[in-house]
Amino acid sequence: MAASGAVAPGTPAAPAAPPPSRAQAPAPEHLFRPLSAEDEEQQPTEIESLCMNCYRNGTTRLLLTKIPFFREIIVSSFSCEHCGWSNTEIHSAGRVQDQGVRYALTVRTQEDMNREVVKTDSATTRIPELDFEIPAFSQKGALTTVEGLISRAISGLEQDQPTRRANEEAVAERIDEFIIRLKELRRVASPFTLIIDDPSGNSFVENPRAPQKDDALAVTHYERTVQQQELLGLQAEAPEEKPEEEDLRNEVLQFHTNCPECNAPAQTNMKLVQIPHFKEVIIMATNCDSCGHRTNEVKSGGAVEPLGTRITFHITHPSDLTRDVLKSETCSVEIPELEFELGMAVLGGKFTTLEGLLKDIRDLVTKNPFTLGDSSSPGQREKLREFSQKLDEILEGKLTAHLVMDDPAGNSYLQNVYAPEDDPEMKNADCG
């Protein structure tokens, strides 16, 4: 059974003419500010708009903000003081991501129902236990919780029940039975699975245990199909045929692109590099002259290996942090002493040092507003403080630890300073 939507059809609000006078626009870098109750400067913009329910003027409030691991969003809320009509929507202000994302959450407790959820227009929501699905583009984007998603589906099914009871009583009875089952799930009468599949890659489900691994939440990144590309309005790129292969090992290629931060025109440099005792990789670096943003990305220059690679390295001396590290997009990183695991594709592909990788992990965890802002609990802040302290001790050489790199594609690498001899502190294992 599918729910076509949980809000009344039609556009909830349309700008009225003339609009009120605008305040002075803030600087571009301050348009999207991290979501925080302590930021007094972060105020919504109010616009007088036409109510599509009573056709009198109401108020639309727009808030430009940032959500961790999700980039920028625009939250809009409309309310009409005349008829009481209200509506809330969310729109992604960023670009479509390079890969789609699929979240599978096993809901067992009421705490799981309170998880923050960002669901975009293009996301499909499913509950396999009920054979229930909310198709893509049938609802507006929403910033809500797991309980809010189910409540929204219940409201969408209940809104046309009086008409169904008058015209199709049998269908109305079946929907009443299904609504009862949804309400039981809302009370968590039994465990169930919530799946959010978004080909745009812009949806998000909160991990309340961050920075630790969440056993109840599985996140999968995937390449979009041609049908999904067309659904998002993207044109699939046809492979170009070249008459002959060119030797690019001694050449730096340059091509034009847009900055991922400010969207200004930028230039990306790409070079094919041979790593000793490993394989060829492609290093891409982008430098934006407008905002100063710099980024680099590493792609494997070869095919997926027949066997995966699992590298276990014991960090015992500060000099170990200077070793070169190649982490592919398919590689997960684990530090057992800190009970920390970094999933695939979180930091993307990187060619850096061990120290650089650990600092990127620290920045990723400590700059998460869900664990530092007003929505975090004292227990979360204490765990995060202990995690940061231990990670700093590893970086300073005061604490020994193990680093485990698990890459099912076999395209990750950690420098062996004893090569071609074996490294006594490093273990390499092939995984089938």
Side-chain angles (χ1 to χ4, degrees):
M1 182 176 293
S4 59
V7 296
T11 306
S21 59
R22 298 181 179 178
Q24 184 177 0
E29 61 269 17
H30 298 305
L31 281 177
F32 296 89
R33 306 168 69 94
L35 189 62
S36 173
E38 300 176 357
D39 189 355
E40 297 181 355
E41 297 182 5
Q42 187 183 39
Q43 298 293 333
T45 302
E46 296 188 356
I47 304 174
E48 187 177 2
S49 307
L50 179 66
C51 176
M52 302 306 294
N53 188 48
C54 68
Y55 299 102
R56 302 174 72 178
N57 284 344
T59 303
T60 295
R61 294 175 176 85
L62 299 176
L63 179 65
L64 282 64
T65 185
K66 288 184 179 179
I67 298 295
F69 309 109
F70 176 62
R71 304 174 190 264
E72 298 88 359
I73 63 170
I74 300 175
V75 181
S76 63
S77 175
F78 174 80
S79 61
C80 178
E81 62 180 5
H82 304 289
C83 66
W85 171 259
S86 62
N87 184 56
T88 302
E89 297 179 8
I90 180 175
H91 302 277
S92 174
R95 61 182 178 87
V96 175
Q97 303 303 306
D98 296 332
Q99 293 181 316
V101 65
R102 181 180 184 271
Y103 291 90
L105 173 65
T106 302
V107 180
R108 297 187 178 93
T109 64
Q110 192 62 39
E111 293 180 355
D112 292 330
M113 298 292 289
N114 295 330
R115 292 179 185 237
E116 296 283 349
V117 175
V118 176
K119 176 187 173 297
T120 64
D121 301 1
S122 59
T124 300
T125 305
R126 292 194 296 270
I127 302 178
E129 288 80 0
L130 298 185
D131 194 19
F132 176 72
E133 177 176 318
I134 303 176
F137 299 104
S138 63
Q139 290 184 349
K140 296 294 184 179
L143 172 60
T144 179
T145 62
V146 176
E147 182 179 3
L149 282 178
I150 297 178
S151 299
R152 190 179 184 186
I154 293 174
S155 300
L157 293 173
E158 287 179 339
Q159 65 181 0
D160 292 330
Q161 280 297 83
T163 305
R164 294 192 189 99
R165 292 190 183 95
N167 300 328
E168 299 175 282
E169 186 175 354
V171 175
E173 290 178 358
R174 290 169 53 193
I175 293 180
D176 283 335
E177 294 175 359
F178 193 82
I179 291 175
I180 292 175
R181 298 176 64 186
L182 281 176
K183 290 181 178 179
E184 290 177 353
L185 289 188
R186 189 169 59 181
R187 296 193 302 268
V188 198
S190 60
F192 65 94
T193 304
L194 176 71
I195 299 175
I196 297 180
D197 192 335
D198 187 0
S200 74
N202 281 331
S203 289
F204 169 75
V205 177
E206 178 193 5
N207 173 12
R209 300 185 58 193
Q212 299 180 5
K213 179 183 178 181
D214 190 347
D215 296 330
L217 181 64
V219 184
T220 305
H221 297 267
Y222 60 86
E223 297 293 335
R224 286 185 287 269
T225 63
V226 176
Q227 291 79 7
Q228 289 173 331
Q229 295 270 25
E230 295 177 352
L231 186 67
L232 295 173
L234 303 176
Q235 184 177 1
E237 297 181 356
E240 298 181 358
E241 296 182 0
K242 294 184 179 180
E244 58 182 15
E245 295 183 358
E246 301 179 3
D247 187 7
L248 305 178
R249 290 174 177 82
N250 298 321
E251 184 178 356
V252 177
L253 301 180
Q254 297 180 342
F255 54 92
H256 298 287
T257 182
N258 289 338
C259 174
E261 289 294 325
C262 68
N263 206 35
Q267 186 169 272
T268 296
N269 298 330
M270 181 176 69
K271 191 176 190 305
L272 189 64
V273 178
Q274 173 68 47
I275 297 181
H277 308 288
F278 188 53
K279 61 172 65 175
E280 290 180 339
V281 297
I282 300 173
I283 299 179
M284 294 183 291
T286 303
N287 187 8
C288 179
D289 295 332
S290 299
C291 67
H293 177 73
R294 301 175 63 185
T295 182
N296 67 81
E297 188 175 1
V298 179
K299 300 284 187 180
S300 173
V304 175
E305 297 295 326
L307 295 176
T309 301
R310 182 179 177 87
I311 304 173
T312 303
F313 179 62
H314 189 197
I315 305 173
T316 58
H317 192 269
S319 61
D320 293 335
L321 300 177
T322 62
R323 298 194 182 208
D324 292 334
V325 175
L326 171 63
K327 176 195 171 297
S328 72
E329 293 180 337
T330 57
C331 178
S332 61
V333 179
E334 183 179 356
I335 306 177
E337 286 80 1
L338 302 185
E339 298 182 356
F340 173 79
E341 180 173 346
L342 182 72
M344 298 181 185
V346 175
L347 285 176
K350 281 187 174 292
F351 183 49
T352 179
T353 61
L354 187 55
E355 180 182 10
L357 179 62
L358 293 178
K359 287 183 177 180
D360 287 340
I361 292 175
R362 181 184 61 187
D363 293 342
L364 178 70
V365 173
T366 56
K367 294 182 180 180
N368 182 358
F370 274 141
T371 57
L372 292 178
D374 57 291
S375 62
S376 63
S377 63
Q380 283 181 320
R381 290 194 292 268
E382 180 63 24
K383 288 193 299 182
L384 185 62
R385 188 190 65 80
E386 294 178 359
F387 174 84
S388 301
Q389 181 179 356
K390 291 182 179 180
L391 194 56
D392 288 338
E393 291 178 357
I394 296 175
L395 290 169
E396 295 170 1
K398 299 179 181 179
L399 179 65
T400 62
H402 289 81
L403 180 79
V404 181
M405 301 175 60
D406 194 345
D407 188 354
N411 288 327
S412 292
Y413 161 83
L414 179 61
Q415 181 184 12
N416 176 8
V417 295
Y418 298 93
E421 302 296 331
D422 293 336
D423 190 329
E425 301 297 340
M426 185 190 305
K427 294 181 181 179
N428 287 276
D430 294 330
C431 305

